[in-house]
Amino acid sequence: MKNYNWAALGCGDIAGQLAQEMSRQGRNLYGAANRTYAKAVEFAEKYGVHKVYDKIDDIFEDEDVDIIYIATPHNTHSEYCLLYTSPSPRDGLLSR
């Protein structure tokens, strides 16, 4: 079975819960992005995340990411879904 690369968009409590659960299963998040870069770096160091994105848009452009978990405030979800599918849709899973 393929080991999918998960990335978290948002680095708060919900993303932390995802990272902890993945760790319990012997896996780590592949990437993390946050509105504040320093918070993403701190999150990555705490949870062993492979890659930190300088800009939020970069998480959507990384073709190594298979699944993006949106862990941001609810009012931003549709905006991020549109970023993922524009300008050219690609295969993958966007979760929230």
Side-chain angles (χ1 to χ4, degrees):
M1 187 162 116
K2 179 180 170 155
N3 187 19
Y4 292 98
N5 287 331
W6 285 66
L9 176 54
C11 296
D13 293 338
I14 300 297
Q17 291 174 20
L18 173 66
Q20 288 173 2
E21 183 56 35
M22 290 184 78
S23 178
R24 276 192 276 279
Q25 297 176 20
R27 302 178 355 204
N28 288 326
L29 281 170
Y30 170 80
N34 196 73
R35 169 175 57 125
T36 308
Y37 178 73
K39 187 171 182 179
V41 170
E42 181 181 319
F43 179 88
E45 290 171 355
K46 181 176 181 179
Y47 295 109
V49 176
H50 173 75
K51 188 170 188 176
V52 177
Y53 300 92
D54 294 330
K55 300 178 297 187
I56 286 178
D57 290 0
D58 293 346
I59 200 170
F60 298 105
E61 296 171 5
D62 187 343
E63 294 192 12
D64 290 329
V65 172
D66 299 305
I67 301 167
I68 299 173
Y69 187 83
I70 299 177
T72 59
H74 293 109
N75 64 338
T76 63
H77 292 182
S78 60
E79 172 189 350
Y80 292 134
C81 287
L82 289 173
L83 277 174
Y84 184 72
T85 59
S86 301
S88 59
R90 64 184 185 123
D91 291 337
L93 176 67
L94 199 59
S95 175
R96 181 57 188 140

